[in-house]
Amino acid sequence: MDYQTQMKIKRFSRQPLLTYAILSIQILLFILMTVNGGSTNTNTLIEFGAKLNPFIVWGQWWRLITPMFLHIGWMHLLINSVILYFLGIELENLFGHWRFGLIYLLSGFAGNAASFAFNNSISAGASTAIFGLFGASLVLGKLYPHNPAVQQMARNFLTLVIINLVFGVFDSSIDLSGHIGGLAGGYLISTAISVKDTSSYLLKKRLLYAAIFILLSALFIALGYWKVKLVL
């Protein structure tokens, strides 16, 4: 393989392909929802896989995943897409494609599981996964303590996290539990999979964080299931 081909492959591999793919999926789904009754229509949201607690208890477990690709209204889609675009470009380049994809999906899952446990309302949006990316950016600040650019990015995102959480406390339309669950999930899972050092100490640390992520997600699901069963 010649040098030019190697450089083309390297540049291609650095492109935020998953970020573009996620953006494309959520825009496509928004268009389909708009055509099929509107993204703010409750029936349309349920049909496309929004989080609705009784449906999860009845066996529709995919509703812990699909909500992160759906949005309620064009402003909701626009804000989350802009944040995902800029955040995804940075983090996908730093974590790599597969780690970024796992962090996004698993933190979104954890956020939806927390929403299942603590929020009875129908919900949808990429915010659970985006807060997971915020959590991942905080981990990067710990992994690269002597890198000024990474430290500045971590501080900026920490500020955004605090602002968003404060708004969530005073705005009942915001799924605060989903945001917190996604933030915690992103922090835990990115710690578990982002450290490349294979020393015994760090391996144990990675396994510990992975175990905490699994236990926390299981606890959220069990609590949500129990609360719905009490009502039903």
Side-chain angles (χ1 to χ4, degrees), residues 48-60:
F48 276 77
K51 190 224 72 173
L52 192 60
N53 293 358
F55 282 53
I56 295 174
V57 171
W58 294 335
Q60 297 184 11

Side-chain angles (χ1 to χ4, degrees), residues 204-225:
K204 290 178 180 178
K205 181 179 179 180
R206 293 171 65 181
L207 291 173
L208 174 62
Y209 276 70
I212 294 173
F213 173 87
I214 293 170
L215 290 173
L216 190 63
S217 298
L219 177 62
F220 289 152
I221 292 171
L223 180 59
Y225 188 91

Side-chain angles (χ1 to χ4, degrees), residues 37-83:
S39 64
T40 58
N41 183 288
T42 300
N43 291 330
T44 302
L45 284 165
I46 294 172
E47 180 183 352
F48 276 77
K51 190 224 72 173
L52 192 60
N53 293 358
F55 282 53
I56 295 174
V57 171
W58 294 335
Q60 297 184 11
W61 294 99
W62 59 85
R63 293 181 185 274
L64 294 171
I65 300 172
T66 51
M68 72 181 82
F69 299 104
L70 307 176
H71 291 85
I72 305 173
W74 68 268
M75 183 60 71
H76 190 205
L77 172 69
L78 178 62
I79 292 173
N80 279 349
S81 295
V82 170
I83 295 173

Side-chain angles (χ1 to χ4, degrees), residues 50-178:
K51 190 224 72 173
L52 192 60
N53 293 358
F55 282 53
I56 295 174
V57 171
W58 294 335
Q60 297 184 11
W61 294 99
W62 59 85
R63 293 181 185 274
L64 294 171
I65 300 172
T66 51
M68 72 181 82
F69 299 104
L70 307 176
H71 291 85
I72 305 173
W74 68 268
M75 183 60 71
H76 190 205
L77 172 69
L78 178 62
I79 292 173
N80 279 349
S81 295
V82 170
I83 295 173
L84 173 59
Y85 176 77
F86 288 105
L87 190 56
I89 286 176
E90 294 290 340
L91 294 186
E92 189 171 349
N93 182 50
L94 290 169
F95 281 108
H97 301 310
W98 75 266
R99 285 188 176 89
F100 174 81
L102 279 178
I103 292 168
Y104 190 86
L105 291 174
L106 292 178
S107 57
F109 171 82
N112 287 323
S115 178
F116 175 49
F118 300 108
N119 182 8
N120 296 324
S121 302
I122 186 171
S123 63
S127 301
T128 52
I130 288 173
F131 266 80
L133 298 183
F134 285 147
S137 71
L138 301 181
V139 172
L140 282 175
K142 294 175 61 178
L143 292 177
Y144 300 97
H146 305 298
N147 187 314
V150 173
Q151 289 297 309
Q152 184 60 48
M153 181 185 70
R155 285 193 293 269
N156 291 340
F157 289 141
L158 177 60
T159 302
L160 283 176
V161 168
I162 294 172
I163 291 172
N164 277 276
L165 290 178
V166 169
F167 273 110
V169 171
F170 296 102
D171 188 345
S172 60
S173 67
I174 293 176
D175 189 353
L176 183 61
S177 56

Side-chain angles (χ1 to χ4, degrees), residues 2-13:
D2 59 40
Y3 176 75
Q4 287 186 340
T5 303
Q6 290 178 351
M7 291 304 295
K8 287 180 180 179
I9 293 175
K10 189 173 183 179
R11 284 196 296 270
F12 181 77
S13 67

